[in-house]
Amino acid sequence: MTLARHERLRHGGVAALEICAVAALYYGSARLGLLQHLVRGQVTPLWPPTGIALAGLLLLGPWVWPGIAIGAFLVNITLGPSVPAVLAITVGNTLAPVGSYALLRRVRFRTEMDRLRDALALIFLGAFTGMLVSATVGSAALLLAGALPPAGFWPTWSVWWTGDAMGVLVVAPVLLVLRSAHRPRDLRAARWCEGALLVVATLGAGFLETAEVPLRFLAFPVLIWAAFRFQLAGAAPCALTLSVFAIVAATQRVGPFEGHDLLTTMISLQAFNASAALTALLLAASVAERNQTRREIELACQQLGEMVTRSAPGGVRRPAPPDDGGDAEEGGGRGREPP
């Protein structure tokens, strides 16, 4: 076996494993998401597979799209009203993240999300624009299959679209952070304590979602704290945790969601989820970009200072003039020899 063929087989095996991993994660996260359904047992306010699918494409490459299709088919085959509807929904669920990936690649999206433009691209291209495909195809498939009355098309479409978009905004950033996460060696104990306090504060703000007193606004100081001090590594998990608490409260109709109809519940829930996700992403990206700009300015000033030091008259060692003797120097030129 030649070396080139061996390399092709090895890369092919790795690609197959990545496709299987994406399919398994898509299916597993979908089953978890369906536990908190609001419409017809299959449309949820937060659809994690869209975030997993888009993150998989961004981190692994476009060749993992069959894993998305396999995972989507396995999920919908147990839910869809007919085989044609299942196939149509599977196509929509596959094309949506692939389209988002293509749009993000076109604007040179960076997975580190250390620029404000990257956060804006993920919001408007990856979530809001790309997920129009899955919502439209899926709702139309249910309508044509007779599983959805005409009057329920737009409510289902809106829940489907916002759920897929929230999956991108809330889940994908966490996976992107995990890819580049590492333990700093010089992290002080005070930093660990601050991180532990942030976790406690996040859980406390999440439990307030079930409280009868309207204290949901207390979640935003926690998000701001996480974004300023820990950037995306702190803001993304914080936003995900708060969204999960809000969804559980909404599906159980407790706290601020008690006594409201489906439309009011969905508007309130998705307004909170979107506000939390946008606050986390935009603020964390802005702080990261500011820090990077400051480091670049400090480095440029340091290099400029070194250049000035090297070019200054006192910064360059010149050879000493020859020693002509003390008498010639003291005589003011009288000690010069006649020509």
Side-chain angles (χ1 to χ4, degrees):
M1 181 182 296
T2 64
L3 181 60
R5 184 179 178 185
H6 178 75
E7 286 295 323
R8 287 196 298 268
L9 289 176
R10 187 175 67 85
H11 288 305
V14 172
L17 289 176
E18 291 175 346
I19 290 173
C20 293
V22 170
L25 289 174
Y26 190 103
Y27 180 81
S29 63
R31 303 310 302 182
L32 290 176
L34 289 172
L35 296 177
Q36 304 297 331
H37 62 84
L38 288 178
V39 179
R40 205 185 161 274
Q42 77 180 88
V43 181
T44 66
L46 176 64
W47 188 240
T50 56
I52 292 175
L54 183 56
L57 292 169
L58 291 170
L59 297 177
L60 301 177
W63 56 83
V64 300
W65 71 264
I68 302 172
I70 294 171
F73 178 79
L74 293 177
V75 171
N76 290 289
I77 194 63
T78 62
L79 303 172
S82 63
V83 174
V86 169
L87 293 177
I89 294 173
T90 300
V91 171
N93 289 347
T94 305
L95 289 179
V98 171
S100 296
Y101 168 78
L103 291 174
L104 292 176
R105 290 283 294 175
R106 188 173 182 84
V107 298
R108 299 181 180 180
F109 174 82
R110 293 199 329 209
T111 57
E112 295 83 1
M113 292 185 65
D114 53 357
R115 302 176 301 178
L116 181 59
R117 58 171 294 184
D118 295 325
L120 293 173
L122 184 68
I123 293 169
F124 290 104
L125 298 180
F128 293 162
T129 302
M131 297 304 116
L132 292 172
V133 177
S134 57
T136 303
V137 174
S139 300
L142 294 178
L143 180 64
L144 294 176
L148 188 67
F153 176 82
W154 288 114
T156 302
W157 182 92
S158 62
V159 175
W160 198 314
W161 176 65
T162 54
D164 285 1
M166 288 302 107
V168 172
L169 294 179
V170 175
V171 177
V174 176
L175 298 177
L176 297 179
V177 164
L178 290 177
R179 170 65 180 271
S180 58
H182 63 279
R183 177 181 174 181
R185 297 180 180 178
D186 56 347
L187 199 60
R188 295 174 299 176
R191 190 72 164 170
W192 285 106
C193 292
E194 185 180 5
L197 288 176
L198 178 62
V199 172
V200 173
T202 302
L203 294 176
F207 281 114
L208 290 176
E209 293 295 327
T210 61
E212 305 226 348
V213 182
L215 297 175
R216 301 175 67 187
F217 61 89
L218 292 179
F220 291 94
V222 177
L223 284 168
I224 295 171
W225 175 18
F228 264 108
R229 297 292 294 162
F230 298 93
Q231 283 79 65
L232 195 64
C238 184
L240 174 61
T241 302
L242 294 173
S243 295
V244 169
F245 273 101
I247 292 170
V248 171
T251 54
Q252 295 179 357
R253 297 294 198 275
V254 296
F257 305 101
E258 184 177 1
H260 296 294
D261 57 10
L262 177 61
L263 179 60
T264 305
T265 298
M266 280 301 303
I267 292 175
S268 177
L269 173 62
Q270 299 298 38
F272 173 79
N273 287 340
S275 300
L278 294 181
T279 300
L281 293 179
L282 296 177
L283 189 55
S286 299
V287 173
E289 187 172 19
R290 182 201 64 180
N291 292 341
Q292 179 64 25
T293 302
R294 183 182 62 187
R295 287 191 293 267
E296 292 176 355
I297 293 175
E298 291 176 351
L299 179 60
C301 291
Q302 181 181 359
Q303 294 175 348
L304 181 60
E306 293 175 355
M307 292 175 58
V308 171
T309 302
R310 287 194 300 267
S311 60
V316 179
R317 183 174 296 177
R318 301 178 182 274
D323 189 5
D324 293 334
D327 294 339
E329 196 169 339
E330 291 176 2
R334 290 174 296 180
R336 288 184 300 177
E337 297 180 359

